[in-house]
């Protein structure tokens, strides 16, 4: 069996930087990637309208000044194609492809206590072994399909936004159904509606949406970011969410109503995810939360011509900003088109599907094809699909049957020498994940270097440190409205998934500070051994 120092699962944003960093540190690394190319999320998700909801200058690696200087982003929010070109460029520029095996899925891994090695199964190919196993398999990569009885019998194509075909899908002249109105659905709907003969949107939960106001990247904005690259990047690392936002220092409720409304108008005109953080007390004060929620609800009403349709699009039930705010372009106006129908699944749920289409409790809809924009088994799905077996043969599935427990989202007690990039209980996809990925890669790189310098070969989260960290994460979440929400942050989108807050919500900067302190204390909470 071939033996490596480090096996990396996935060649997305995390995998690429891991290869670069760890190979540079002198480790023998290899990444295994199920796709035929690099890119991860930006390889698999190809649906029309896909853009990152974090601004392009901030959603890029910071580890190389030269890389940053030579790359030019064309728009405020980059398209999938542009991000994929960027990641391909990174792979070529740093000669990463020679350490990636494409078309290969990791299907299992087991810790061999005696040898102190991971035995890793792949398909196709022989098993390999490695001292360290790093799961860079993505927090939003395991797709979630709708549980409609008979859905398998639908005769036309079903396209999941997260596993989109490589060839162009042309909806011209077709009757199309789309299920899901999260970030993916909201981006795809306007583009598909413009092509299709008819588009029927099945909405289970209306979402809070704000405009992207996407535009070409202004030369002066890019020049400023280039000129101040190092300081901007350092600031980003200590922000709440890993992207720049202006957080109003005063509590919303301490200000006159007119002042708040004017400020919200100003922010709506800027658009983007920054709107989430207008006032810090929206996360903890019900009346502040309601105030912003009502502002966004009124904006939704003002952009949709049909009052009945508008009311269906107004989010209710989940507090504001407890699900990812959806950043949109022409989404609401799409419902003013004559070829678009909105079906509210709360009023008329799915009954069954058949070869010709889908029936709700109200009527049958005939489709040529269906788009499933139904999201992902977030944060744990890709890890549980591999279902590694740790010390004593314990499977991760068993270990996490009541929900994930980790130390810092980096390691799991009982799974020595295995790391998870942006795992549960780290800021992960609650943040600009580029910033969070770089922080995890660098922390692991530093830790492995620290160990090697001391002749140590084994690292495992201490159960007590893990328990304390999980407690910290849960206690923090409990001070906010997140636990009330039926979101994928809470695992609520996947039937049967344990209901726990998956990301750490204390903020990117706070988390980094905690990690740095732990590292400075010789990696406190990690048991390091020879
Ligand atoms: P999301 O945000 O999980 O959205 C999935 C959507 O699909 C959402 O509207 C769901 O409704 C809906 N859904 C899921 N399962 C069903 C079933 N069974 N029936 C009907 N509707 C369903 O995934 P996205 O891909 O849009 O975005 C993921 C992240 O990518 C996003 O947050 C950004 O970070 C980028 P629900 O709200 O669960 O009621």
């Amino acid at each position: 069996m071939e033996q490596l120092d480090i096996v990396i699962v996935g060649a997305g944003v995390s995998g690429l930087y891991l290869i670069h960093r760890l190979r540079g540190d002198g480790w023998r690394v290899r990444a295994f990637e199920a796709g035929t190319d690099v890119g991860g999320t930006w390889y698999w998700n190809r649906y029309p309208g896909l853009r990152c909801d974090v601004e392009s200058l901030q959603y890029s690696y910071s580890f190389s000044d030269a890389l940053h200087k030579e790359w030019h982003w064309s728009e405020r929010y980059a398209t999938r194609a542009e991000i994929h070109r960027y990641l391909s460029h990174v792979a070529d520029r740093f000669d990463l492809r020679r350490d990636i095996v494409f078309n290969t899925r990791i299907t299992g891994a087991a810790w061999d206590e005696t040898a102190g090695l991971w035995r890793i199964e792949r398909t196709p190919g022989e098993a390999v072994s490695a001292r360290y196993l790093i799961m860079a398999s993505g927090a939003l990569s395991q797709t979630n399909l709708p549980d409609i009885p008979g859905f398998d019998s639908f005769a036309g194509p079903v396209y999941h936004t997260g596993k989109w075909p490589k060839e162009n899908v042309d909806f011209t002249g077709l009757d199309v159904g789309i299920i899901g109105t999260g970030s993916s659905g909201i981006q795809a709907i306007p583009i598909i509606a413009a092509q299709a003969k008819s588009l029927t949107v099945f909405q289970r939960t209306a979402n809070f949406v704000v405009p992207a106001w996407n535009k070409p990247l202004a030369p002066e904005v890019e020049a400023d970011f280039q000129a101040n690259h190092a300081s901007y990047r350092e600031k980003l690392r200590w922000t709440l969410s890993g992207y720049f936002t202006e957080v109003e220092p005063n509590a919303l409720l301490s200000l006159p109503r007119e002042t708040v409304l004017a400020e919200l108008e100003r922010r709506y005109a800027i658009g983007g995810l920054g709107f989430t953080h207008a006032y810090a007390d929206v996360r903890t004060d019900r009346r502040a939360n309601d105030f912003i929620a009502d502002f966004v609800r009124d904006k939704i009403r003002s952009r949709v011509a049909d009052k009945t349709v508008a009311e269906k699009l107004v989010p209710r039930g989940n507090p504001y900003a407890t699900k990812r705010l959806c950043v949109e372009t022409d989404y609401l106006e799409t419902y003013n088109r004559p070829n678009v129908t909105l079906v509210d699944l709360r009023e008329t749920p799915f009954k069954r599907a058949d070869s010709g289409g889908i029936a709700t409790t109200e009527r049958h809809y005939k489709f040529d094809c269906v788009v499933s924009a139904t999201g992902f088994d977030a944060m744990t799905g890709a890890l549980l699909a591999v279902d590694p077996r740790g010390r004593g043969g314990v499977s991760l599935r068993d270990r996490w049957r009541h929900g994930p427990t980790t130390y810092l989202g980096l390691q799991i007690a009982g799974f020595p020498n295995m790391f998870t990039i942006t795992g549960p209980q780290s800021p992960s996809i609650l943040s600009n994940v580029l910033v969070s990925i770089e922080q995890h890669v660098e922390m692991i790189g530093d830790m492995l270097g620290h160990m090697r310098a001391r002749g140590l070969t084994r690292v495992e989260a201490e159960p007590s440190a893990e328990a304390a960290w999980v407690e910290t994460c849960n206690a923090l979440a409990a001070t906010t409205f997140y636990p009330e929400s039926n979101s994928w942050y809470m695992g609520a989108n996947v039937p049967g998934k344990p209901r726990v807050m998956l990301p750490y919500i204390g903020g990117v900067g706070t988390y980094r500070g905690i990690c740095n302190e732990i590292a400075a204390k010789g990696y406190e909470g990690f048991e390091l051994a020879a």
Side-chain angles (χ1 to χ4, degrees), residues 66-115:
L67 168 67
H68 181 75
K69 287 209 170 78
E70 74 203 11
W71 189 262
H72 162 71
W73 292 104
S74 60
E75 294 176 87
R76 180 181 182 190
Y77 296 101
T79 57
R80 178 211 90 87
E82 191 167 20
I83 299 172
H84 190 257
R85 270 201 305 281
Y86 171 74
L87 294 173
S88 292
H89 169 72
V90 170
D92 294 335
R93 190 194 194 286
F94 296 103
D95 190 20
L96 305 179
R97 292 181 201 269
R98 70 181 153 94
D99 285 312
I100 305 171
V101 181
F102 292 104
N103 284 310
T104 304
R105 187 172 285 283
I106 298 301
T107 47
W111 172 248
D112 178 338
E113 179 74 13
T114 316

Side-chain angles (χ1 to χ4, degrees), residues 243-265:
Y243 49 83
F244 288 123
T245 52
E246 296 171 63
V247 182
E248 165 64 38
N250 299 303
L252 184 152
L253 294 167
S254 69
L255 298 165
R257 181 183 166 77
E258 293 317 313
T259 307
V260 176
L261 285 175
E263 178 59 13
L264 292 180
E265 286 291 354

Side-chain angles (χ1 to χ4, degrees), residues 14 17-18 134 407-411 419-428 434-447 511-512 515:
S14 309
Y17 185 31
L18 278 165
I134 308 186
Y407 184 40
L408 301 171
L410 268 173
Q411 266 218 313
F419 295 95
T420 52
I421 303 289
T422 62
Q425 288 133 9
S426 74
S428 190
L434 247 294
V435 174
S436 293
I437 284 171
E438 285 194 327
Q439 189 251 342
H440 267 188
V441 171
E442 284 157 16
M443 183 158 175
I444 292 168
D446 292 350
M447 195 189 307
Y511 176 82
R512 177 180 291 270
C515 288

Side-chain angles (χ1 to χ4, degrees), residues 267-287:
R267 285 170 183 268
Y268 197 81
I270 296 169
L273 281 180
F275 191 87
T276 321
H277 302 288
Y279 296 89
D281 54 338
V282 296
R283 299 214 299 179
T284 50
D285 189 307
R286 179 84 52 189
R287 287 172 306 150

Side-chain angles (χ1 to χ4, degrees), residues 181-484:
T181 53
S183 298
S184 303
I186 278 168
Q187 289 186 335
I189 284 165
I191 314 288
I192 298 174
Q195 280 181 18
K197 183 165 123 210
S198 74
L199 179 66
T200 304
V201 179
F202 294 101
Q203 172 190 271
R204 185 164 72 181
T205 310
N207 268 309
F208 289 99
V209 298
V210 294
W213 305 125
N214 186 43
K215 55 190 173 190
L217 193 57
E220 61 277 13
V221 172
E222 191 175 15
D224 175 55
F225 203 85
Q226 291 284 15
N228 301 292
H229 181 226
S231 76
Y232 279 147
R233 293 294 190 178
E234 185 55 13
K235 277 187 195 141
L236 277 175
R237 295 183 185 115
W238 295 96
T239 53
L240 178 69
S241 302
Y243 49 83
F244 288 123
T245 52
E246 296 171 63
V247 182
E248 165 64 38
N250 299 303
L252 184 152
L253 294 167
S254 69
L255 298 165
R257 181 183 166 77
E258 293 317 313
T259 307
V260 176
L261 285 175
E263 178 59 13
L264 292 180
E265 286 291 354
R266 187 184 74 82
R267 285 170 183 268
Y268 197 81
I270 296 169
L273 281 180
F275 191 87
T276 321
H277 302 288
Y279 296 89
D281 54 338
V282 296
R283 299 214 299 179
T284 50
D285 189 307
R286 179 84 52 189
R287 287 172 306 150
N289 191 287
D290 286 345
F291 191 100
I292 297 207
D294 283 342
F295 177 88
V296 181
R297 288 181 184 125
D298 284 346
K299 287 288 184 199
I300 292 170
R301 290 186 181 103
S302 72
R303 290 171 54 190
V304 179
D306 183 311
K307 296 295 163 231
T308 313
V309 175
E311 281 313 311
K312 289 186 209 279
L313 289 165
V314 165
R316 296 184 179 87
N318 295 314
Y320 169 77
T322 55
K323 298 183 84 169
R324 182 112 170 170
L325 198 59
C326 293
V327 178
E328 50 83 30
T329 300
D330 298 333
Y331 172 64
L332 295 167
E333 288 74 11
T334 299
Y335 293 95
N336 299 334
R337 298 176 63 101
N339 68 332
V340 176
T341 305
L342 178 65
V343 178
D344 186 342
L345 293 171
R346 302 213 168 181
E347 290 170 6
T348 55
F350 287 132
K351 217 161 118 193
R352 63 184 158 70
D354 56 30
S355 62
I358 304 178
T360 65
T361 50
E362 185 192 36
R363 56 161 281 202
H364 182 271
Y365 296 86
K366 200 175 151 305
F367 296 125
D368 296 306
C369 64
V370 171
V371 174
S372 187
T374 41
F376 302 89
D377 184 352
M379 299 195 76
T380 56
L383 300 171
L384 293 174
V386 174
D387 196 18
R389 281 157 204 268
R391 237 178 332 101
V394 172
S395 80
L396 189 61
R397 241 170 223 290
D398 257 8
R399 181 75 167 63
W400 280 4
R401 65 187 175 282
H402 301 302
T405 52
T406 74
Y407 184 40
L408 301 171
L410 268 173
Q411 266 218 313
I412 302 151
F415 292 78
N417 289 12
M418 182 178 102
F419 295 95
T420 52
I421 303 289
T422 62
Q425 288 133 9
S426 74
S428 190
I429 37 178
L430 197 57
S431 65
N432 172 1
V433 79
L434 247 294
V435 174
S436 293
I437 284 171
E438 285 194 327
Q439 189 251 342
H440 267 188
V441 171
E442 284 157 16
M443 183 158 175
I444 292 168
D446 292 350
M447 195 189 307
L448 295 184
H450 170 96
M451 288 169 61
R452 185 168 52 187
R454 289 160 181 77
L456 306 173
T457 53
R458 188 188 149 107
V459 49
E460 184 181 341
E462 290 169 6
S464 57
E466 179 177 290
W469 181 248
V470 172
E471 181 61 36
T472 301
C473 292
N474 291 342
L476 265 174
T479 62
T480 69
F481 300 127
Y482 281 109
E484 286 179 29

